[in-house]
Amino acid sequence: MKTDPERFIRANTTLGTPPHVPEIRLHLADEAHDLWLRTEDELEEIGLPPPFWAFAWAGGQGLARHVLDNPDLVKGKHVLDFATGSGLVAIAACLGGAARVNAVDIDPWSATAARLNAETNKVGFGISQSNLVGTYAGWDVVLAGDVFYDQAMSALIQPWFSALAKRGCQVLVGDPGRAYCPVDQLELLATYMVPVTRALEDNEIKRTSVFRFTA
């Protein structure tokens, strides 16, 4: 890795609040940086994978909002935030009173961003870069914001989430209408109108739903 993640994150983001979750502060890429819009060659040259961790995506914002508004979903429970990105949903679970929170993302830059964001919000949770798909580590609740954007990934996690639900694990998904979201396996819990970054989405507001995976 050519670039130190913490140094890069601090230099290329500013502390801000996601518009739908103002209780939480994150290191976010300002649109002026055009961080996401850099060419793949430039990102590769500095050792940086696509910076999913630098933005508060609509699915994560909706899911975090739902957790904060309904803390009984996580209070006193063992929670996994899958594909945590910035750590937004894991932070919400901590603030909601979860007994134990683990966050996982295979992107090592996400691990650094999530740690910095946890420190900013004065919470703590475990952070892993392991591929946990297909496993079960005693979680009571699995949270997943905006994970159905890719066909291959969706094909992997859909049967895993279904299996977790059959074990009695609550699998809650935040999704703004991504193409591969398996709505036929989901129970709608809530819908939010979430402000998003126009540079990344097709609008300034995304209708975002929170679902429970059915067994």
Side-chain angles (χ1 to χ4, degrees):
M1 186 176 296
K2 300 176 182 179
T3 303
D4 175 69
E6 181 168 342
R7 183 177 301 175
F8 182 90
I9 290 168
R10 291 188 183 278
N12 289 276
T13 64
T14 55
L15 278 174
T17 57
H20 207 62
V21 199
E23 301 93 326
I24 294 175
R25 299 178 75 210
L26 301 174
H27 289 81
L28 297 171
D30 185 56
E31 281 193 53
H33 288 295
D34 286 337
L35 182 60
W36 185 269
L37 302 181
R38 289 183 178 179
T39 66
E40 290 185 7
D41 289 344
E42 182 182 355
L43 291 174
E44 184 178 355
E45 183 178 342
I46 63 176
L48 180 67
F52 290 101
W53 47 265
F55 300 92
W57 298 87
Q61 286 197 61
L63 185 55
R65 177 78 271 151
H66 193 70
V67 168
L68 290 175
D69 290 347
N70 301 274
D72 285 347
L73 290 170
V74 298
K75 188 175 182 180
K77 297 177 181 177
H78 182 190
V79 177
L80 174 69
D81 178 23
F82 176 73
T84 191
S86 67
L88 170 60
V89 177
I91 292 167
C94 290
L95 295 177
R100 180 182 173 192
V101 178
N102 293 99
V104 64
D105 200 301
I106 60 173
D107 181 355
W109 288 74
S110 172
T112 301
R115 174 179 59 80
L116 292 174
N117 290 329
E119 292 170 357
T120 296
N121 291 275
K122 296 180 171 57
V123 299
F125 49 83
I127 304 172
S128 169
Q129 296 169 37
S130 302
N131 183 354
L132 298 183
V133 175
T135 70
Y136 176 66
W139 311 296
D140 301 304
V141 181
V142 172
L143 304 174
D146 230 324
V147 295
F148 291 109
Y149 57 87
D150 176 82
Q151 185 175 18
M153 180 175 176
S154 300
L156 285 174
I157 63 177
Q158 183 176 337
W160 178 45
F161 284 173
S162 181
L164 289 173
K166 289 176 181 177
R167 300 187 71 126
C169 182
Q170 295 290 312
V171 181
L172 304 182
V173 172
D175 188 87
R178 301 298 184 201
Y180 305 105
C181 185
V183 292
D184 59 329
Q185 291 185 261
L186 303 174
E187 173 192 357
L188 179 64
L189 300 181
T191 300
Y192 304 96
M193 301 304 291
V194 180
V196 292
T197 303
R198 177 175 281 278
L200 302 179
E201 301 283 7
D202 54 3
N203 210 326
E204 292 182 350
I205 302 289
K206 292 290 286 187
R207 182 182 178 90
T208 300
S209 297
V210 175
F211 300 98
R212 178 186 288 114
F213 228 87
T214 56

